[in-house]
Amino acid sequence: MAILILIIIGIIIVAVLSRIGYKFWQYGRPQHLATSPQPQSADDSAVTLFIPGYAGNRFSFGGMLQRFVTGQFANKSLVVMIDRHNHPHVTGSLDAYRPMVQLVFATPRVPVRQQADGVLAVVKYLIAHEHVQTINLVAHSMGGVVLFQYLTTAARLVNLPEVRKVVTIGAPFNDSEVGQNTYPIEHHPLTASGPTKTTPVYNYFLRTLQRLPNTISYLNIAGNIGDDIQSDGAVALSSALSLRFLLKPAVDQYHEFVVHGKNARHSRLHENFAVDRQIVQFLYPDKSKTIADEK
């Protein structure tokens, strides 16, 4: 009997590991729509880059991108591995219709500025090799801070693609530590004029985000699992939503969406169908098709 139990456990372990291995392979490769229409608008033509958070990998946005392809919303055109020297290694080919690009950092535990330089290297590759003119940026957690670091850097440069739309998911805009999770969760309540206390990253963006063009549209997504301080279990709602004060000059282009419940947990936000739906409707507002509320 004991041997039979061990055999069953072994089979289960092999099955689980096989599934994880298959997902690891699948999430690291491009996936294209079976039939890809011709672009009908600027939204259809823009290239969307997906930036993971601290210690992120192909699992960070792999599931979301697969759902977008399966739902016939967009193409997962490129997977770009950024090595420790910030050189992009590109797999796939860029589609004309709603191309998405998954970024994966070979060394995912590096400072914000270094990752932002990696994003810049990818954008320069897209200009040189794909003649890309317009982009969107989607980022989770620390990736949202990386995203805005890229934007402030890009604002000083010329001949870079126009940024049309920006999506941030559970990003710590007023945390002292924007990478590794720290406890207790940092929480500085918001007043009508801004946070009661500000951190260096918030103050940096308060000085620099005024450089950004006023043509960018923003969607800021945050999670609230219903704990005492209102957080997603890693980032306080007050930290994520402090972005509204940093983007005050662009208030007309700024939108917020808060996810509630157990699936609003930090590591689950990019696996949440409500988040999927918000992103699709924001990036492609003319799309009549929507993603179901529940899996």
Side-chain angles (χ1 to χ4, degrees):
M1 186 67 179
I3 294 176
L4 179 60
I5 292 174
L6 289 175
I7 291 174
I8 293 173
I9 292 174
I11 292 172
I12 293 172
I13 291 173
V14 169
V16 170
L17 291 177
S18 297
R19 179 172 174 79
I20 292 173
Y22 175 72
K23 289 293 185 183
F24 183 81
W25 171 81
Q26 188 179 45
Y27 287 173
R29 60 189 288 268
Q31 296 171 282
H32 305 276
L33 297 173
T35 302
S36 194
Q38 288 299 310
Q40 301 296 315
S41 66
D43 288 327
D44 289 344
S45 300
V47 179
T48 304
L49 278 62
F50 288 77
I51 306 168
Y54 181 81
N57 52 47
R58 64 180 68 186
F59 284 99
S60 299
F61 277 117
M64 177 182 287
L65 293 174
Q66 184 181 59
R67 293 191 297 273
F68 288 170
V69 176
T70 302
Q72 302 295 306
F73 295 105
N75 286 287
K76 183 183 175 182
S77 297
L78 303 177
V79 176
V80 182
M81 176 65 73
I82 304 166
D83 68 23
R84 62 191 181 92
H85 302 293
N86 278 337
H87 297 149
H89 301 266
V90 180
T91 303
S93 57
L94 202 66
D95 298 273
Y97 179 77
R98 298 183 179 180
M100 302 181 298
V101 179
Q102 180 183 18
L103 305 191
V104 181
F105 293 90
T107 51
R109 295 176 176 86
V110 297
V112 167
R113 288 181 184 274
Q114 185 174 337
Q115 286 203 358
D117 288 343
V119 175
L120 179 60
V122 173
V123 171
K124 288 182 175 179
Y125 172 92
L126 293 174
I127 296 170
H129 297 273
E130 303 289 352
H131 311 293
V132 169
Q133 297 180 341
T134 58
I135 63 173
N136 303 317
L137 299 167
V138 179
H140 174 249
S141 192
M142 189 185 89
V145 180
V146 171
L147 185 160
F148 278 98
Q149 178 64 57
Y150 164 79
L151 289 178
T152 58
T153 301
R156 301 194 303 266
L157 304 176
V158 296
N159 299 325
L160 291 180
E162 173 196 1
V163 178
R164 288 177 52 80
K165 298 182 180 182
V166 163
V167 181
T168 47
I169 308 167
F173 294 111
N174 195 29
D175 277 27
S176 299
E177 169 55 64
V178 299
Q180 302 181 64
N181 292 341
T182 57
Y183 295 95
I185 296 170
E186 196 163 359
H187 167 54
H188 306 300
L190 301 178
T191 69
S193 57
T196 53
K197 178 183 176 182
T198 60
T199 62
V201 66
Y202 182 93
N203 294 331
Y204 170 76
F205 285 135
L206 193 63
R207 297 191 306 271
T208 58
L209 291 193
Q210 59 185 329
R211 304 172 187 163
L212 302 186
N214 58 10
T215 54
I216 302 174
S217 295
Y218 303 91
L219 172 62
N220 186 22
I221 298 173
N224 183 2
I225 59 174
D227 56 350
D228 290 341
I229 64 169
Q230 295 191 314
S231 78
D232 62 13
V235 176
L237 201 60
S238 59
S239 180
L241 298 186
S242 65
L243 181 62
R244 70 170 69 139
F245 300 98
L246 297 174
L247 294 175
K248 221 167 186 180
V251 66
D252 292 340
Q253 290 86 30
Y254 174 77
H255 312 277
E256 292 177 350
F257 179 73
V258 178
V259 187
H260 297 271
K262 63 180 181 180
N263 286 328
R265 191 164 293 279
H266 190 71
S267 61
R268 295 292 302 169
L269 285 172
H270 45 58
E271 307 304 325
N272 189 303
F273 270 40
V275 173
D276 286 2
R277 186 176 64 251
Q278 289 294 320
I279 293 174
V280 167
Q281 293 176 347
F282 179 69
L283 295 179
Y284 313 118
D286 61 331
K287 189 73 174 178
S288 58
K289 188 177 179 182
T290 60
I291 297 178
D293 290 339
E294 300 179 358
K295 295 183 179 180

